[in-house]
Amino acid sequence: MGFSKEKRRLKIRKRVRKTITGTPEKPRLSVFRSNNEIYAQLIDDVNGVTIASASSRDKDVDVANKTKSEASIIVGEAIAKKALDQNIDSISFDRSGYLYHGRVKSLAEGARKGGLKF
């Protein structure tokens, strides 16, 4: 039989992670999408640390009365602002096995709008 959605996503995620790594100068922007929320992290894989993070649950991110896609754009702009505060303007985008459309695409567009280069 075929793979479940979770297994398919994990397979794609492992395949992508072989090629995408984050460095201190160009960190990896990792996306996690739950049913209701969206999370983004800037990760330096060389030192194994998270440089910055943003999510739709943060108190400084106002997503009240917004759709999930609109909230993703706001989270993308928030992570871009945090990255630019730390003099990071270029990142590697890690979609974590999700298809590049919908909320994942909205987050990427928000990050670009915020000033990050992919």
Side-chain angles (χ1 to χ4, degrees), residues 25-36:
E25 301 80 34
K26 188 174 180 178
R28 173 169 58 95
L29 175 60
S30 180
V31 176
F32 175 72
R33 191 187 75 183
S34 72
N35 284 340
N36 297 317

Side-chain angles (χ1 to χ4, degrees), residues 1 9-11 14 23 27 32 42 57 74 79 100 118:
M1 298 306 248
R9 188 176 81 77
L10 290 174
K11 225 173 119 174
K14 284 180 183 176
T23 63
F32 175 72
L42 287 174
R57 295 185 59 137
I74 295 168
I79 195 76
Y100 185 79
F118 287 43

Side-chain angles (χ1 to χ4, degrees), residues 5-60:
K5 281 185 180 179
E6 294 87 20
K7 285 185 179 177
R8 180 195 63 77
R9 188 176 81 77
L10 290 174
K11 225 173 119 174
I12 294 169
R13 186 175 172 189
K14 284 180 183 176
R15 186 171 63 229
V16 169
R17 292 271 167 88
K18 283 188 234 174
T19 58
I20 295 178
T21 56
T23 63
E25 301 80 34
K26 188 174 180 178
R28 173 169 58 95
L29 175 60
S30 180
V31 176
F32 175 72
R33 191 187 75 183
S34 72
N35 284 340
N36 297 317
E37 313 291 346
I38 191 153
Y39 305 83
Q41 290 185 67
L42 287 174
I43 302 169
D44 169 10
D45 290 314
V46 174
N47 299 317
V49 294
T50 297
I51 298 168
S53 67
S55 80
S56 53
R57 295 185 59 137
D58 289 351
K59 287 178 178 45
D60 59 335

